[in-house]
Amino acid sequence: MKYAFAKRVRHLQSSVVRDILKIVNQGNVISFAGGLPDDGLFPTEAIKDAFTSAFEKGNKAFQYGETEGYRPLREVILERMGHKGIQGYDADNVLLTTGSQQAIDLLARVMISPGDVLLTEEPTYLAALQVFQSYEAQIIPVQCDENGMIMDDLKEKIKQYHPKMLYVVPTFSNPSGRVWSLERRKELIRIVKKQNVLVFEDDPYGDIQFTNESYTPIAALDNGSHVLYTSTFSKTAVPALRTGWIVGPYQIIRMMAQAKQANDLHSNSLAHQALYELCRNFDLDGHIKKISSVYGERKDIMVYHLQKAQREGLIKFVEPKGGMFLWLELQEQVNAEALLPRAVEKGMAYVPGAPFYAEAPKLNTLRLNFTHATDNQIKIGMDILIRMLEEVDVERTQLKSL
Ligand code: PMP
């Protein structure tokens, strides 16, 4: 039987990279490819206690609930976001989702018609690109530097394409680790208000910080009209509870709740109740500080081992100040995707950068995750990577001299 799938699934094809990485997960390869937090740091006992408290409520803890999610948790989330300056909302402005990934999907579902233009950073989060493509958005990347989107290019593209929405990961981006400066955030708000464009701010990593600098979410600069903000418990507590949220203008949140009703009625409300107990009875902020400090040390180890290759001109990178990723630019002619099988054979894996681009990929880029491997694995893995890049450099020099 030849199955006649819907046209939209053409964007869901498996890729060679995904197939290679599937093999990596089964073998002895040190992987820097996934975006996984360290399960050794999960607050398992506190989560157990939180579920016990939820169970003590009796059978009603297991009942169907509101599509928007467990209200007391939405209120706790609002309180936590208030500390970041995101204020002026009530629980009706918050929708709990199955991870922030579902928030991306639902927002695209209610806002994007085929052909609508969506502006993104370059590079940007791969799984968001896949969602936007599945709703047949026209994705236009805006040029970026280490401080965020370049505002002149943004203005130009708004003028040229009349986009409906802008998707940004302004704090410790996946994949680039980039942080937008405050000036760019303020300028962005000024521009979108003038031009009436929505901003979708995705902030799963903002709390994983290695310095004492503070970063104002773009949503904190808005007055509740132009920004939708999503975040998640996946990186700060555990991903398995699949709980994220989105906050924004009521009309949009309400429409998303209706779309969610059709999708899954509501998210896992038992997880919501446990997360509520966790936020109330456990020092989640202390825990976030603890994991951030461990991740920061791992980032330091990775950076330390990469510095030699940086001095030799084999790689370029900007040291991240938070998040989970380090973004490498290799020498211009080196193709990170073509090199992946060789790296895997030698015992390490990364994600090539190309799929993070909506168009014109930079083939000489790759993403490394530093939160899941141990210190020793990071050392071994970086040695393998650097030796391979040195070999490639020698081979290219020999080829040139032929
Ligand atoms: N946005 C970004 C930028 C991400 O990196 C991720 C996780 N990889 C998500 C959203 C989704 O996270 P979750 O669904 O686990 O909340």
Side-chain angles (χ1 to χ4, degrees):
M1 170 78 188
K2 194 166 181 302
Y3 299 106
F5 287 107
K7 268 196 215 142
R8 75 182 72 88
V9 306
R10 66 183 180 271
H11 299 291
L12 304 176
Q13 304 302 320
S14 187
S15 71
V16 179
V17 170
R18 212 175 300 163
D19 294 343
I20 295 171
L21 296 177
K22 225 184 265 170
I23 300 168
V24 167
N25 292 336
Q26 293 156 7
N28 280 333
V29 176
I30 303 172
S31 179
F32 303 95
L36 308 186
D38 182 349
D39 30 281
L41 296 170
F42 288 158
T44 308
E45 283 308 312
I47 290 175
K48 220 186 230 165
D49 292 346
F51 270 100
T52 304
S53 302
F55 285 178
E56 278 163 5
K57 294 191 181 122
N59 286 2
K60 74 175 183 332
F62 303 99
Q63 191 52 279
Y64 278 115
E66 284 182 86
T67 299
E68 289 79 357
Y70 187 55
R71 197 173 182 98
L73 180 61
R74 284 187 274 145
E75 277 160 3
V76 167
I77 287 170
L78 278 175
E79 199 179 301
R80 293 181 63 79
M81 289 199 307
H83 299 151
K84 294 174 188 285
I86 303 175
Q87 287 162 349
Y89 295 103
D90 71 27
D92 292 329
N93 295 92
V94 184
L95 175 69
L96 300 184
T97 51
T98 301
S100 47
Q101 189 63 36
Q102 191 188 40
I104 300 174
D105 184 80
L106 292 174
L107 183 62
R109 185 179 302 205
V110 303
M111 299 307 296
I112 302 292
S113 300
D116 280 350
V117 173
L118 209 146
L119 301 183
T120 64
E121 290 163 278
E122 182 175 68
T124 191
Y125 176 44
L126 166 60
L129 284 179
Q130 287 167 334
V131 170
F132 302 144
Q133 281 160 352
S134 76
Y135 289 105
E136 302 180 50
Q138 189 190 350
I139 303 169
I140 305 286
V142 176
Q143 286 167 21
C144 295
D145 62 18
E146 65 280 8
N147 291 315
M149 271 183 183
I150 296 175
M151 292 295 130
D152 283 344
D153 194 45
L154 174 66
K155 283 188 225 160
E156 189 53 44
K157 293 210 161 124
I158 291 179
K159 205 162 128 201
Q160 191 178 348
Y161 294 102
H162 308 291
K164 195 164 227 180
M165 196 158 77
L166 223 130
Y167 169 75
V168 289
V169 190
T171 311
F172 316 134
S173 163
N174 176 7
S176 69
R178 176 194 298 133
V179 183
W180 284 42
S181 66
L182 182 60
E183 290 68 37
R184 295 275 174 98
R185 291 171 196 240
K186 286 183 175 164
E187 178 73 7
L188 177 82
I189 283 290
R190 263 197 300 273
I191 294 171
V192 296
K193 290 208 163 191
K194 200 162 157 212
Q195 304 290 340
N196 257 328
V197 183
L198 275 182
V199 176
F200 183 19
E201 177 176 24
D202 185 4
D203 186 25
Y205 303 106
D207 287 335
I208 313 285
Q209 295 196 17
F210 310 144
T211 70
N212 291 324
E213 285 170 59
S214 69
Y215 304 99
T216 310
I218 292 170
L221 303 169
D222 183 36
N223 56 357
S225 56
H226 282 70
V227 181
L228 287 118
Y229 174 95
T230 182
S231 187
T232 176
F233 286 104
S234 289
K235 321 294 174 183
T236 51
V238 290
L241 295 180
R242 305 306 304 128
T243 302
W245 64 91
I246 183 162
V247 60
Y250 175 67
Q251 286 148 288
I252 297 179
I253 296 296
R254 190 166 142 260
M255 194 61 80
M256 288 177 70
Q258 285 169 9
K260 184 169 166 63
Q261 225 159 47
N263 187 256
D264 62 359
L265 297 181
H266 63 80
S267 303
N268 181 342
S269 53
L270 189 57
H272 296 174
Q273 293 168 73
L275 278 165
Y276 169 77
E277 298 293 338
L278 192 81
C279 290
R280 280 282 173 251
N281 303 317
F282 170 69
D283 180 12
L284 184 59
D285 290 319
H287 174 72
I288 294 170
K289 275 209 180 89
K290 188 176 109 189
I291 60 174
S292 299
S293 138
V294 176
Y295 293 161
E297 282 164 22
R298 290 190 190 157
K299 179 270 298 173
D300 288 344
I301 295 171
M302 188 171 269
V303 165
Y304 175 81
H305 287 285
L306 288 172
Q307 271 163 347
K308 179 170 163 271
Q310 191 182 34
R311 282 194 299 273
E312 289 170 359
L314 296 175
I315 55 174
K316 282 191 217 157
F317 61 88
V318 177
E319 187 170 341
K321 292 180 176 172
M324 295 177 42
F325 303 108
L326 202 144
W327 180 247
L328 287 193
E329 208 173 308
L330 310 180
Q331 288 169 309
E332 217 150 85
Q333 307 301 325
V334 179
N335 181 330
E337 194 162 316
L339 275 183
L340 179 62
R342 187 157 155 185
V344 170
E345 203 180 298
K346 289 174 184 290
M348 70 85 68
Y350 53 79
V351 187
F356 296 96
Y357 289 83
E359 56 181 40
K362 273 193 167 178
L363 300 175
N364 62 329
T365 55
L366 62 91
R367 188 194 75 179
L368 295 169
N369 164 268
F370 49 74
T371 59
H372 192 250
T374 62
D375 297 2
N376 197 39
Q377 286 173 326
I378 293 175
K379 177 186 177 314
I380 297 169
M382 291 308 103
D383 280 349
I384 296 173
L385 176 67
I386 293 162
R387 257 186 283 123
M388 181 181 78
L389 293 177
E390 284 168 347
E391 272 171 30
V392 170
D393 192 41
V394 171
E395 287 162 13
R396 289 177 59 231
T397 317
Q398 284 168 348
L399 259 182
K400 265 191 227 150
S401 61
L402 277 181

